[in-house]
Amino acid sequence: MEETAQIFEKLPIINFSLIHRDSVIHRDSVIKQIHEACQNFGFFHVINHGIPDSVLEEALNVNSMFFDMPMAMKKELLSDDVQKPARFSKIRVGCHEDRMLSRDFLKLYAHPLHHFLNLWPSNPLNYREKMGRYATEVRKLGIELFGAIMESLNLSPTHLKQNFEHGAQLIGVNSYPSGSDVKAGTSAHTDHSIITILLQSSPGLHILDRSDGAWKSVGKIEGALEVFVGDHLEVISNGLYKSVLHRVLPSSNNGSRLSIADFHSLGMDDIVEPATELVNEEHPKRYKGSSLRDFLEHLSSKDTTPFIQTIKI
């Protein structure tokens, strides 16, 4: 019998359009909501984010078409090299209820877009056009969210701004086909990024409720995107914000599930450390400096220790 997770009822929903209003009250309210969401949940829904629904729908549709193509048409991208800028893989890692967890995965480096676009899938024929548009729009949103999150930490909204704007953008597209002999899903993990912005076609995302230690299902809000605190934001905040533990267990009743995770980080070799303004006698430095490359090397090593644990002091 399939496990049913309780719905997480009180997850924050942030109306990001209010941050652009000509009102300090509106802006301060959004910054406060972001602070509470990051501190209490490590997660929030964002609505009225400025990305047209058509761009979101086209990104989901073109990726659905990609995963539906015969394996022969995807084979040229098949690779287990975690540092390859464009790769397709069939992942069988972790288990749930004694069944192996399975997903099909496409990873794309996306910034600077013109450096990587010609490495992306050439089929479907409009893949690069549709996903290029999505990557551009979600990057703009990521930069705005990052500034607001820095402000929520009582840091300058320009703190690390240039580093972030010139930093890495990795896109992970996951397909969870229904009806296989293994369980579609992803085991519990946190993200290495500063923030992750998620677009999902249907429910299936679970996050750990810190208040009671229970796994709870995240509902899908039409037109919304989901924002995750990643390991490197936990580092910048010196532990004030914690990366959110999450997993994916789609219900077989909902058919196949598709998600597009946009991981925003500093540059590949940029060292991420706690902000000096957040380190003092009462709150000593809790994390060693680390980079995105350090994470990828950790991933390549097959060490199962969560990355965030390896950089704690």
Side-chain angles (χ1 to χ4, degrees):
M1 185 175 176
E2 194 171 81
E3 175 187 344
T4 303
Q6 178 184 350
I7 299 275
F8 211 143
E9 299 285 359
K10 296 181 179 180
L11 288 171
I13 302 172
I14 292 177
N15 182 352
F16 203 58
S17 68
L18 296 178
I19 209 161
H20 300 297
R21 298 276 180 90
D22 293 329
S23 165
V24 174
I25 294 174
H26 280 128
R27 182 177 183 84
D28 287 351
S29 174
V30 172
I31 298 300
K32 182 181 178 184
Q33 289 174 50
I34 288 174
H35 173 77
E36 292 173 349
C38 290
Q39 186 171 40
N40 298 328
F41 300 95
F43 177 94
F44 56 90
H45 299 282
V46 61
I47 60 172
N48 297 325
H49 41 66
I51 303 179
D53 287 346
S54 60
V55 173
L56 305 182
E57 291 164 6
E58 287 173 355
L60 288 171
N61 289 340
V62 79
N63 277 288
S64 179
M65 292 168 64
F66 171 82
F67 285 108
D68 284 344
M69 292 191 311
M71 178 57 75
M73 296 181 71
K74 297 176 282 195
K75 198 170 182 180
E76 65 178 4
L77 290 169
L78 200 60
S79 174
D80 290 324
D81 179 357
V82 299
Q83 300 200 41
K84 192 173 181 182
R87 70 182 180 97
F88 169 72
S89 58
K90 300 181 80 66
I91 297 177
R92 307 287 184 268
V93 176
C95 63
H96 181 74
E97 297 177 339
D98 297 324
R99 295 174 68 193
M100 185 71 73
L101 290 173
S102 165
R103 62 190 163 107
D104 290 352
F105 176 69
L106 176 65
K107 187 192 77 174
L108 306 168
Y109 282 33
H111 183 73
L113 186 60
H114 65 276
H115 283 186
F116 300 112
L117 194 61
N118 67 334
L119 302 175
W120 287 14
S122 54
N123 283 299
L125 293 178
N126 58 356
Y127 188 90
R128 294 172 182 174
E129 174 194 349
K130 304 295 187 187
M131 272 301 287
R133 186 176 302 137
Y134 176 78
T136 300
E137 291 290 338
V138 81
R139 180 162 187 81
K140 291 178 192 172
L141 175 62
I143 290 169
E144 285 195 284
L145 282 168
F146 177 73
I149 290 169
M150 292 301 98
E151 201 170 340
S152 79
L153 286 165
N154 287 322
L155 300 170
S156 166
T158 61
H159 182 77
L160 292 175
K161 184 174 186 287
Q162 286 193 335
N163 302 68
F164 191 85
E165 288 180 349
H166 292 95
Q169 178 185 10
L170 277 60
I171 298 176
V173 189
N174 295 286
S175 174
Y176 302 92
S178 61
S180 64
D181 57 348
V182 292
K183 171 73 176 172
T186 303
S187 57
H189 65 284
T190 59
D191 291 341
H192 66 271
S193 54
I194 292 177
I195 56 171
T196 302
I197 301 173
L198 182 76
L199 170 63
Q200 53 180 342
S201 66
S202 59
L205 173 65
H206 297 179
I207 65 175
L208 192 70
D209 185 344
R210 297 169 184 171
S211 69
D212 60 11
W215 284 105
K216 293 182 181 174
S217 174
V218 177
K220 184 179 184 304
I221 300 173
E222 287 302 320
L225 294 165
E226 280 66 55
V227 180
F228 300 70
V229 169
D231 291 343
H232 270 160
L233 179 51
E234 179 173 335
V235 171
I236 292 169
S237 74
N238 200 30
L240 182 63
Y241 297 164
K242 297 289 196 299
S243 52
V244 61
L245 192 64
H246 56 285
R247 68 185 187 185
V248 176
L249 292 174
S251 169
S252 57
N253 298 327
N254 291 331
S256 297
R257 178 181 185 271
L258 191 75
S259 69
I260 305 174
D262 217 270
F263 304 99
H264 297 265
S265 304
L266 299 191
M268 187 66 72
D269 295 302
D270 285 359
I271 300 299
V272 180
E273 295 187 284
T276 55
E277 298 90 333
L278 301 176
V279 176
N280 52 46
E281 194 171 319
E282 188 179 347
H283 302 98
K285 185 176 178 181
R286 296 175 179 169
Y287 304 88
K288 297 180 289 186
S290 63
S291 66
L292 176 57
R293 192 177 304 280
D294 291 331
F295 166 75
L296 292 173
E297 289 175 356
H298 175 76
L299 192 63
S300 299
S301 73
K302 309 297 184 185
D303 184 346
T304 58
T305 308
F307 178 66
I308 192 67
Q309 298 299 328
T310 70
I311 56 175
K312 284 185 176 179
I313 294 174

